[in-house]
């Protein structure tokens, strides 16, 4: 079913792997005499000198802004920034961390003082900002109106990244779990407020405010921003990111109860597209179940078992071209009667738990504000969907093996080598009940900030019905509801989606 609906609400949470920056400088040519009439070679762009670090006092604490180098990729001027911020914005726990962000501006607009500022909040949790290589996608469209800030959210990329190794070095599992509590959306928003005050001029047309674009978990952060600091915002654009259950102490059970059903629907579609993969998936599961210990070891030291094999659905079932990628992965699974080295290596590549462990460690906590998640996905699976996701039983019965989606299970901290290092901390995080509030429903109901969203009807990760419950609490929220795109619409048609949402936010698309 394809829908394209624009609605206004009553007045009343990568995944995608970040792309790596790839730039190359042209070698200098030796000087030589020019023939008469030859063009004078262009001078290379002059790089601005790096000003001294800025220090200021904010909310009784100190922070430092370090302006890094300015450089170019095709069509864009980029400037690196670092900001030293409190680990705990309340001040109760001492310590600081470094936040990295990158400022993008269209190469032909770098001197334009009339441009607004746009902060992009990417999906996750636990993933750094994309590394731009050229002027394309939604960035190309947004650069007509904005200077764009790409933020490595705390704990990711170059923002004091958390790894299994350095987290384990922080002390006992209890100390590790306590540290992790400072890496949720509320802290990300408070970091963003310091960035805004550091880079957006008070004398700008927006009066020092900026706009937000939030994808997936980035949309959840937008709702938190509207709750904590709406005075800093011009407008908010969300794509596949209206958080569910904002009035609940923990909405995780409702989320997984619905997203497991959506996984089953996507599995059915996958096998309709590629019926030959029914037998391929069954063969892999049977082979793994027959191995000593119930699986094989991958090149990265992970355990590829029937249950970890099912995790491939996270990357495949809910994204554009995901069905195709999974199909091609399965067709290359065998080297004679053994699983191929290529398949096992590709499995490792699809699983980013080792490089981005925050996703596994904090995923369920993004739904918590005053209650524990207690491994909600695992409990709902075992209590309500055990038969539907029992890979070995399905394979032995000749039925299609089902893949899972955006769920984190406690046994992953046994099957994945790097996650084993932080297993005890993960258990403590799952049992923690002392999570601060992420949303202020009254402020959302009273907001004067224009809020618009691209809401994907068939989104496997952000349930449509739960999103509508939240949208009803955000005053004046307008939605573009469509089934033309899956969760990654911003990647498929970023320029189109961005322009549509910006026009909705600014009244170019009229209510009707």
């Amino acid at each position: 079913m394809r829908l394209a609906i624009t609605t206004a609400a009553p007045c009343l949470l990568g995944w995608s792997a970040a792309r790596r920056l790839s730039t190359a400088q042209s070698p200098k040519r030796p000087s030589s005499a020019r023939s008469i009439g030859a063009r004078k070679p262009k001078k290379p762009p002059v790089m601005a000198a790096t000003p001294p670090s800025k220090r200021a006092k904010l909310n009784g604490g100190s922070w430092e802004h370090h302006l890094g180098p300015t450089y170019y990729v095709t069509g864009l001027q980029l400037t690196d920034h670092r900001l030293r911020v409190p680990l705990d914005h309340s001040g109760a726990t001492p310590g600081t961390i470094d936040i990295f962000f990158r400022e993008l501006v269209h190469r032909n607009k770098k001197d334009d003082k009339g441009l607004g500022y746009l902060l992009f909040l990417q999906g996750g949790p636990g993933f750094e900002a994309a590394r731009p290589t050229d002027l394309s996608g939604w960035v190309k469209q947004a650069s007509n109106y904005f200077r764009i800030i790409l933020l490595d959210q705390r704990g990711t990329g170059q923002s004091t990244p958390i790894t299994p190794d350095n987290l384990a070095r922080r002390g006992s599992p209890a100390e590790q779990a306590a540290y992790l509590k400072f890496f949720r959306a509320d802290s990300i928003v408070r970091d963003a407020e310091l960035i805004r005050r550091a880079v957006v001029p008070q004398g700008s047309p927006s009066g020092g405010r900026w706009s937000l674009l939030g994808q997936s978990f980035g949309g959840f952060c937008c709702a938190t921003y509207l709750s904590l600091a709406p005075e800093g915002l011009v407008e908010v654009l969300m794509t596949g990111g209206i958080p569910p259950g904002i009035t609940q102490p923990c909405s995780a059970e409702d989320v997984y109860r619905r997203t497991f059903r959506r996984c089953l629907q996507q599995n059915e579609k996958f096998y309709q597209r590629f019926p030959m993969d029914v037998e391929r998936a069954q063969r892999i599961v049977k082979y793994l179940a027959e191995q000593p210990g119930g699986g094989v070891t991958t090149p990265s030291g992970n355990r590829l078992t029937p249950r970890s094999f099912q995790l491939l659905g996270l990357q495949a079932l809910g994204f554009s071209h995901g069905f195709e990628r999974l199909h091609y992965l399965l067709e290359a699974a065998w080297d004679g009667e053994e699983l191929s080295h290529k398949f096992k290596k590709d499995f490792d590549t699809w699983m980013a738990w080792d490089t981005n462990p925050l996703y596994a460690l904090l995923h369920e906590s993004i739904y918590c504000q005053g209650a524990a998640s207690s491994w909600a996905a695992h409990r709902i699976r075992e209590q309500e969907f055990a038969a539907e996701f029992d890979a070995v039983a399905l394979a032995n019965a000749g039925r299609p093996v089902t893949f899972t989606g955006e769920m984190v299970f406690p046994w992953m901290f046994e099957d994945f080598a790097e996650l084993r290092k932080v297993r005890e901390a993960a258990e403590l995080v799952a049992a923690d009940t002392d999570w601060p509030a992420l949303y202020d429903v009254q402020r959302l109901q009273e907001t004067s900030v224009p809020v618009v969203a691209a809401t994907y009807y068939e989104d496997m990760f952000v349930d449509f019905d739960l999103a509508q419950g939240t949208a009803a609490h955000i005053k004046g929220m307008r939605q573009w509801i469509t089934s033309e795109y899956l969760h990654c619409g911003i990647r498929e048609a970023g320029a189109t989606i961005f322009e549509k949402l910006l026009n909705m936010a600014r009244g170019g698309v009229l209510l009707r």
Side-chain angles (χ1 to χ4, degrees):
M1 180 168 55
R2 176 166 292 188
L3 306 177
I5 309 169
T6 302
T7 68
C11 293
L12 303 173
L13 163 307
W15 151 304
S16 63
R19 295 176 296 165
R20 301 296 177 191
L21 177 62
S22 174
T23 60
Q25 294 182 341
S26 300
K28 293 182 179 179
R29 293 188 177 90
S31 60
S32 60
R34 290 183 290 116
S35 59
I36 296 176
R39 292 184 178 179
K40 185 178 180 180
K42 293 182 178 179
K43 293 182 179 180
V46 177
M47 299 302 178
T50 301
S53 301
K54 294 187 258 184
R55 289 176 172 81
K57 290 283 187 180
L58 188 64
N59 295 336
S62 65
W63 54 276
E64 300 176 10
H65 177 206
H66 301 266
L67 186 60
T70 293
Y71 49 98
Y72 295 85
V73 299
T74 303
L76 286 169
Q77 175 183 281
L78 284 66
T79 302
D80 293 350
H81 299 255
R82 291 184 184 276
L83 198 67
R84 182 154 294 171
V85 304
L87 170 65
D88 176 5
H89 284 278
S90 75
T93 301
T96 61
I97 60 174
D98 290 335
I99 300 298
F100 174 85
F101 59 98
R102 205 182 312 268
E103 181 181 348
L104 281 56
V105 63
H106 193 293
R107 187 173 187 132
N108 296 332
K109 292 178 176 285
K110 58 182 181 291
D111 298 320
D112 188 342
K113 305 299 184 185
L115 292 175
Y117 283 77
L118 175 74
L119 172 65
F120 176 64
L121 294 165
Q122 66 274 8
F127 283 86
E128 63 268 34
R131 273 41 182 168
T133 56
D134 59 18
L135 182 62
S136 60
W138 69 264
V139 170
K140 183 175 183 179
Q141 195 67 24
S143 67
N144 292 318
Y145 311 99
F146 297 102
R147 293 177 180 270
I148 301 165
I149 303 297
L150 299 183
L151 168 64
D152 282 358
Q153 296 164 9
R154 54 169 52 202
T156 74
Q158 297 189 60
S159 293
T160 311
I162 289 177
T163 68
D165 286 326
N166 67 35
L167 182 62
R169 291 195 296 267
R170 288 202 162 266
S172 67
E175 290 171 313
Q176 297 168 31
Y179 182 70
L180 289 169
K181 291 174 71 96
F182 299 115
F183 290 82
R184 295 201 312 155
D186 49 343
S187 295
I188 293 169
V189 166
R190 292 184 173 102
D191 293 341
E193 269 295 276
L194 295 184
I195 295 171
R196 180 183 65 83
R197 298 180 193 186
V199 302
V200 183
Q202 285 296 316
S204 66
S206 67
R209 298 176 299 152
W210 61 6
S211 304
L212 301 182
L213 171 62
Q215 158 65 16
S216 189
F217 170 71
F220 295 16
C221 293
C222 288
T224 301
Y225 211 134
L226 285 163
S227 297
L228 297 181
E231 64 278 2
L233 303 177
V234 175
E235 61 218 345
V236 173
L237 286 59
M238 301 180 185
T239 57
I242 301 177
I246 63 171
T247 62
Q248 298 175 245
C250 184
S251 61
E253 288 190 10
D254 285 348
V255 167
Y256 296 121
R257 187 172 287 113
R258 290 172 178 269
T259 52
F260 270 123
R261 294 192 192 108
R262 291 191 177 273
C263 281
L264 292 173
Q265 294 169 359
Q266 291 302 105
N267 273 281
E268 185 177 350
K269 293 178 187 177
F270 169 69
Y271 286 121
Q272 286 178 356
R273 287 277 311 278
F274 298 104
M276 70 288 291
D277 289 338
V278 172
E279 187 277 332
R280 288 171 175 164
Q282 290 170 344
R283 183 185 176 195
I284 292 170
V285 167
K286 291 177 181 179
Y287 173 86
L288 293 172
E290 292 168 357
Q291 301 310 301
V296 298
T297 301
T298 69
S300 293
N302 299 319
R303 291 293 293 165
L304 175 51
T305 62
R307 64 189 183 185
S308 63
F309 170 70
Q310 291 176 284
L311 298 175
L312 291 170
L314 173 59
Q315 293 279 22
L317 297 184
F319 295 109
S320 61
H321 307 304
F323 288 177
E324 291 85 353
R325 292 181 63 224
L326 181 57
H327 167 70
Y328 296 133
L329 182 70
L330 296 179
E331 76 172 8
W334 295 97
D335 181 4
E337 296 302 312
E338 305 293 328
L339 284 178
S340 69
H341 176 79
K342 180 182 186 305
F343 178 76
K344 290 182 283 189
K345 186 174 181 179
D346 285 345
F347 173 83
D348 283 335
T349 301
W350 281 45
M351 302 289 113
W353 317 111
D354 54 347
T355 57
N356 296 81
L358 275 183
Y359 183 87
L361 286 162
L362 290 182
H363 195 270
E364 291 198 354
S365 78
I366 69 176
Y367 302 113
C368 299
Q369 40 182 358
S373 70
S374 302
W375 298 115
H378 182 69
R379 288 187 291 105
I380 293 299
R381 175 177 176 168
E382 293 301 308
Q383 294 168 10
E384 301 181 25
F385 296 95
E388 290 86 346
F389 288 96
D390 186 333
V392 176
L394 290 168
N396 288 335
R399 296 173 59 192
V401 173
T402 49
F403 296 93
T404 55
E406 193 170 40
M407 296 91 181
V408 174
F409 305 103
W411 48 259
M412 290 166 55
F413 292 83
E414 303 168 10
D415 285 5
F416 291 92
E418 290 298 302
L419 293 185
R420 291 173 203 146
K421 301 173 182 178
V422 293
R423 180 179 59 82
E424 292 177 87
E427 292 288 349
L428 293 173
V429 169
D432 199 330
T433 60
D434 187 23
W435 297 105
L438 296 171
Y439 310 107
D440 185 327
V441 175
Q442 182 174 348
R443 294 192 87 173
L444 293 173
Q445 291 173 341
E446 297 172 352
T447 188
S448 60
V449 178
V451 184
V452 298
T455 304
Y456 308 127
Y457 187 73
E458 296 179 318
D459 197 322
M460 193 181 81
F461 305 107
V462 179
D463 180 75
F464 175 80
D465 293 326
L466 293 179
Q468 296 314 295
T470 294
H473 288 292
I474 302 176
K475 182 179 179 180
M477 183 176 194
R478 299 184 65 188
Q479 295 182 76
W480 173 26
I481 299 173
T482 179
S483 63
E484 187 171 355
Y485 309 108
L486 296 176
H487 186 67
C488 60
I490 195 72
R491 188 192 307 165
E492 294 181 67
T496 299
I497 291 172
F498 182 86
E499 187 69 17
K500 173 93 168 184
L501 292 182
L502 189 64
N503 274 315
M504 289 172 63
R506 296 185 173 182
V509 177
L510 301 178
L511 289 169
R512 58 179 181 171

